[in-house]
Amino acid sequence: MSSLDVDAIIAHADQYPKPAGVHFQYGTAGFRTRGDILESVVFRVGVLAALRSKKLDGKTIGVMITASHNPEHDNGVKLVDPRGEMLEAAWEIHATTLANAQTSQEFVQTVQTLISAANIDITKPANVVYARDTRPTGPALVAALELGLKAIGAQGRNEGVQTTPVLHYFVRCINSKGTKDSYGDDSVDGYMKKLSESFKSLVAGKTRPEPLIIDCANGVGAPTAEILVKYLGESIPLILHNTAISTKGALNYECGADYVKTQQRLPPSLNGVLKPGQRACSLDGDADRLIYYYLDERGHFHMLDGDKIAALVAAFIIDLVNLAGLSGDDFKVGVVQTAYANGSSTKYLADRMPVKCVPTGVKHLHHAAEHYSVGVYFEANGHGTVLFSPSAVEAMKSHKPSTPAQASALQHLINLTELINQTVGDALSDMLLVEVVLAHRSFTGAEWNSLYNDLPNRLVKVVVKDRNIFKTEDAERRLVSPVGLQEKVDELVRKYDGGRSFVRPSGTEDVVRVYAEATSRPQTDELALKVAQLVYDFTGGDPMKRPESL
Ligand code: G16
């Protein structure tokens, strides 16, 4: 298109008027709210994705329609930049502005302002690849997106129902096709082969593990895992549970990674199924998070969360780097965490390697991890991956091992660069990574768990009148607003042995999150409840709805 067809955009936008009285915000992971009020937002995201593509000379931009761990009635949409990473932060504001334009005319004016402010050459091509998860509102939102793409004349490629990490993988593959950094084949077959072949090489000669149970959260991870099972063949026995993607209300309900992490218990559907000592893991609704767990001989539940995954994986990678003879000042392995990381995990890791704490959100962790040769990042909620910098990859390729042991460690590292989805957290790729380390270490779940002892911790959601008044600093560890609340939290925390607590507004749900840690379980729970009540009372919550228990 040689110039913006204002009339066409207005005519199309009129089909998706913005609901009155709602303010949309591009948050931690894009827009996320009730799926039935998101159509205007998704239409506009279609236009924005096309503008982003034009700005980047026609590079393919990804659009994922998902609300991940949220309840089934929610939905969401997020943009993926050309290397498969999250949308550049500066454009999040444009997304929010476009989504909140009150009328189609105002929307087009905002588009025009963006075009001139960002100096976008509208004559450039626009390419967008998109997918959705299994939510019932998904198809209507895809239709809205497609109309947005049509309104601005963008080329769209519909990848149907996919996990979030597969969509991120596609974006990187499409944009790197034919270059020396080609990331892989932009097809499900390409993704499956990359993961399964590197996995088989990494576990060659190792004992075949006992069957692993996967709780698929009744979401899109189920069909993707079903395909993966076929590609993995005999290399690892996988048993899929919670695969009911068409059962209404089943998505993330009493299952999935968020349920296990926040409830700190087994999904009820696995009661009597999971045997003591057997490994199991849960994916979330779009399969970008992973939590492991097992029952001990007494049937007690033990969780291996994102922190435990980071500890397992980072220590393994450091060993391989040392064994391969790669370690040195210009080859640094580091870990990135958030304030939610268990204090014990931070201590374990910091004794062994550099550790950085950043605000919640994969985009923050991802960027911080890029500063290391090998950057391992995991949020406690199970969202994470490992990044190998271009210079680290070069160093691995050009390194001449001097012993068979060095050669083998080097080959393992090279295989890991293939196994790990380096675009974003990927539950299935991470699961295979964990299985590789367990196989190499000959670890049971209990042995893995014993790397360090988690401090008891509790995460609570508090529904407040307006979460936007909550502002934080110091990687979200301290509140600056509402004024005076942090001092009161500090006062409470001082009363608990080893106490730590922080309060931050969620970027994906309309709640404020309270995290608490202390040296004993009862103290932790009491601290979490007291801070939650403090937050509620301080913001003038209805006394009748005050949280009285966890
Ligand atoms: C998203 C982000 C994660 C973040 C999580 C919760 O995950 O990608 O980085 O930890 O939301 O964020 P908040 O506490 O701000 O609600 P997902 O798996 O829901 O896409």
Side-chain angles (χ1 to χ4, degrees), residues 351-368:
D351 285 346
R352 291 163 176 79
M353 63 200 89
V355 180
K356 197 170 167 21
C357 181
V358 299
T360 299
V362 166
K363 59 190 174 203
H364 299 296
L365 291 114
H366 197 92
H367 287 141

Side-chain angles (χ1 to χ4, degrees), residues 59-63 79-85 128-130 157 165-177 183 186 423:
K59 289 237 163 49
T60 296
I61 297 297
V63 175
L79 283 105
V80 180
D81 261 356
R83 282 175 49 80
E85 72 278 41
V128 178
V129 58
Y130 53 94
R157 170 170 155 179
V166 166
L167 192 264
H168 282 251
Y169 166 85
F170 282 158
V171 173
R172 174 105 163 234
C173 290
I174 293 168
N175 288 309
S176 62
K177 209 177 217 169
Y183 194 64
D186 55 332
T423 62

Side-chain angles (χ1 to χ4, degrees), residues 28-29 32 67-70 78 86 284 286 288-289 340 360-363 365 379 381 383 504-509 513:
T28 316
R32 213 173 268 191
S68 186
H69 67 282
N70 290 43
K78 58 185 163 193
M86 300 290 188
D284 71 339
D286 62 342
D288 58 7
R289 295 194 201 176
Y340 289 113
T360 299
V362 166
K363 59 190 174 203
L365 291 114
E379 294 182 282
N381 63 24
H383 206 150
R504 59 172 284 277
S506 162
T508 60
E509 293 174 77
R513 300 199 198 280

Side-chain angles (χ1 to χ4, degrees), residues 151-166:
I152 195 164
Q155 191 67 41
R157 170 170 155 179
N158 186 355
E159 284 296 337
V161 173
Q162 299 291 351
T163 70
T164 293
V166 166

Side-chain angles (χ1 to χ4, degrees), residues 307-316 434 437-438 441 443 448 451:
D307 297 338
K308 279 269 156 79
I309 297 174
L312 181 79
V313 166
F316 180 65
V434 165
V437 187
L438 296 180
R441 300 282 205 219
F443 270 1
W448 170 15
L451 289 180

